[in-house]
Amino acid sequence: MKIKVGFGFDVHQLKDGHPFVVGGVNLEHHKGAFGHSDADVLLHAICDALLGAANLRDIGFHFKNTDPQWKGISSVILLQETVKLIAAKGWQIGNIDAMLCLEAPKINPHIPQMQENIAAAIGMSVEDISIKATTNETMGFIGREEGVVAYAVCLIEK
């Protein structure tokens, strides 16, 4: 068996009046992530981790933010397409571990639903998907609620 590890990172600006989708969950908040797709920072970081592990470049290479077909698309679809890309190279996902960094809203109540959304999208158990959240202790652009960041690592195997 061959295994590889991937790392993903994503950041999105937060703007008043925008929807805030994280892990496929619509969060109630006065600000939301701004981007070409639904700007789901968590799923974008996971996609980058998976693509990187399989040596398939990054999310921007496959789903360009200048391509109208991806405008406003659910990042759940981007994740599903990413899984197809790595599967075409013979890889399957072992596990995913992700971290969100934002001041508000509180993420912990939504983590089980995020895990279920991701598990359903990629066909694996919620037991293999870890999501954590932290704040930036009111420092920097995250602390001022100007942006949201996500990190992810994954293990893939062949």
Side-chain angles (χ1 to χ4, degrees), residues 10 18 24 29 33 43 69 75 80 84 99 102 119 131-132 137 147 151 154 157:
D10 196 40
H18 279 270
H29 196 56
L43 297 188
Q69 81 172 328
S75 294
Q80 291 169 331
K84 289 177 188 174
M99 171 68 79
L102 71 163
I131 301 170
K132 303 167 302 295
E137 300 295 333
Y151 305 91
C154 69
E157 48 199 15

Side-chain angles (χ1 to χ4, degrees), residues 39-51:
D40 189 326
V41 67
L42 177 62
L43 297 188
H44 293 182
I46 291 170
C47 287
D48 267 345
L50 293 167
L51 291 165

Side-chain angles (χ1 to χ4, degrees), residues 11-94:
V11 61
H12 280 278
Q13 185 178 13
L14 294 175
K15 291 188 174 186
D16 285 324
H18 279 270
F20 202 0
V21 180
V22 180
V25 175
N26 290 307
L27 302 177
E28 292 293 326
H29 196 56
H30 65 96
K31 288 186 175 185
F34 178 75
H36 185 69
S37 66
D38 65 0
D40 189 326
V41 67
L42 177 62
L43 297 188
H44 293 182
I46 291 170
C47 287
D48 267 345
L50 293 167
L51 291 165
N55 195 22
L56 289 170
R57 304 206 40 190
D58 60 38
I59 192 171
F61 179 80
H62 294 279
F63 313 108
K64 294 180 179 17
N65 66 3
T66 55
D67 188 336
Q69 81 172 328
W70 308 122
K71 179 73 175 160
I73 196 164
S74 167
S75 294
V76 170
I77 294 170
L78 301 181
L79 179 59
Q80 291 169 331
E81 292 300 314
T82 297
V83 172
K84 289 177 188 174
L85 288 168
I86 69 167
K89 287 189 74 175
W91 294 102
Q92 62 182 18
I93 304 167

Side-chain angles (χ1 to χ4, degrees), residues 12-16 18-22 26-33 41 100-110 114 133-149:
H12 280 278
Q13 185 178 13
L14 294 175
K15 291 188 174 186
D16 285 324
H18 279 270
F20 202 0
V21 180
V22 180
N26 290 307
L27 302 177
E28 292 293 326
H29 196 56
H30 65 96
K31 288 186 175 185
V41 67
L100 286 159
C101 189
L102 71 163
E103 292 299 314
K106 294 295 181 192
I107 296 300
N108 275 332
H110 306 286
M114 291 176 187
T134 191
T135 68
N136 214 42
E137 300 295 333
T138 70
M139 297 181 293
F141 74 90
I142 296 168
R144 292 186 301 271
E145 293 190 49
E146 295 170 3
V148 57
V149 171

